[in-house]
Amino acid sequence: MKPRIAILAALGAFIVGLSVATFAELKLFLPPILRGAVVTLQISFWSWLLFVSLSCIAGLGRWQRNLLVRWTATVYIEVFRGTSLLVILFWLFFVLPEFGIIMSPFVAGVLGVGLNFGAYGAEVVRGALTAVPKGQREAAIALNIKPRNFVVRILFPQAIAIMVPGMVNLTIEMIKATALVSAITLVDITYASVQQNQLYFRTLEIFTIALLLYYCFAQFVRFGGAALEEYFTRHLAKRR
Amino acid sequence: MTDFAIQFDKVCKAYDDLDVLTDLDFAVRKGEVVTIMGPSGSGKTTVLRVLMTLEEIQDGVILVQDEPLNKMYKNGDLVDADKAHVRKIRSKIGMVFQNFNLFPHMTALGNCIEAPMYTKGLSKQEASEEAMKLLAMVGLADKANQYPSQLSGGQQQRVAIARSLCMHPEILLFDEPTSALDPEMVGEVLKVIRDLADSGRYTILLVTHQMGFAKEVSDRVCFIDGGKIVEENIPSEIFENPKTERLQQFLSKVLEAR
């Protein structure tokens, strides 16, 4: 017991001391980092919308029987899953302008992250779609339910319950991956921290704050995801 | 117009290399209750599945009320059926599955009104009124707002029966409807099926291992093995006076197991 209390006390004293020592400069470097956090949140939000939509479209595409649709979805998934996100961002931001396609760093960042994670998400969606028991489709056929209604009203609501844990994982992963957009001149948490560190040399404090910010976002997603999972599985028999 | 509800003419069905149905000839009259029995792998469930268009056949013709299921007449020629034709024929047939296959995210009532609303375009109120009547008929009016996971197996299967009746089929297919149930729940499901059979409104095709029940409700029993009908007759003849050696073997094994 005793050593643990000592360690905790030491840690507490360290944090208090650090806060006191840092307090004077905190008001100098914290606001820019928080502005970076807003950029990270904006990028994350739009990338997430793109990532989830692409996941559903490509996931459904791979699940389809139509060869052209399935092939297109497969090419998309393989291209973006097999390439580095950082290089994709460079491509969108530095290479495409050579072909006359110029986009703002924000758009390039959202596109890069969304396309990349959409490819991973598509596999989660496809897996969830295949995990819905085959009998559901047979019952729908026997009741003459139109294929589109089957997908929208029967297949998807059940698949969502299965895909939530995988998608929550990817969402957390995606928020952290947005750090890479700092490489295409966007001032997000990571870029702002590097800048402030160069100005004030409070390395420990600045990067600890950056770490905590990402951690808070991840926790937020985690609890949101748990609530979603609970919501979507509330009527389903619990799996043993 | 013949008085046949279902006719199979030299129907062949194979999975890859495995022949399941081989030149199957088989017919059911309107209003007839026919039980299909046979050892596992004999193709008895496949007969129902190809009728319900869950499986495609490789050769032969299936007629449902004199109309081909997988073919259609177009300008006098027999061509492959299009979707509209398949849907039209399919609407005459209802199927009840071994594992119920209820939609788990919908209530009992929701399960029953889904197809009437989204396939037939009924209003929610119209669909619900009719569904409640049918749920009452299977004795589950008080369970209408329960989800499948809150119901016992027997109750789930009765909801599944009500659900298929909501689409007004003329032909009912039962694929081992009591095989997934605990023994004490078999009776309640069989009672519902018996009522349907007695009503005389439906042509019923039943695959079951419940020999006693088959004997009571069926007009005719077909023993199928190796994708062919080996013997068919009225129930009393099938069970008390089997003619083929294969059926005699089958019955003695089934009775031994009791």
Side-chain angles (χ1 to χ4, degrees), chain B residues 103-145:
Chain B
F103 306 133
H105 58 303
M106 297 179 188
T107 60
L109 183 63
N111 267 279
C112 291
I113 63 175
E114 178 68 20
M117 278 175 70
Y118 288 89
T119 301
K120 282 191 170 173
L122 262 59
S123 75
K124 188 169 186 182
Q125 199 195 345
E126 288 172 301
S128 303
E129 274 173 23
E130 158 126 61
M132 283 309 295
K133 274 186 212 153
L134 287 164
L135 282 172
M137 195 197 85
V138 299
L140 290 172
D142 56 330
K143 302 284 184 192
N145 294 317

Side-chain angles (χ1 to χ4, degrees), chain B residues 6 24 53 68 82 95-96 105 120 149 159 165 204 242:
Chain B
I6 302 163
L24 179 74
T53 65
D82 62 15
M95 183 161 181
V96 173
H105 58 303
K120 282 191 170 173
S149 59
V159 171
L165 293 179
I204 294 179

Side-chain angles (χ1 to χ4, degrees), chain B residues 7 50 60 72-73 128 131 144 200:
Chain B
Q7 287 165 278
V50 297
M72 62 190 267
Y73 289 100
S128 303

Side-chain angles (χ1 to χ4, degrees), chain B residues 33-37 204 206-208 214 217-218 220-223:
Chain B
V33 179
V34 174
T35 298
I36 303 175
M37 59 179 203
I204 294 179
L206 173 70
V207 170
T208 186
V217 299
S218 316
R220 184 155 56 97
V221 176
C222 294
F223 176 67

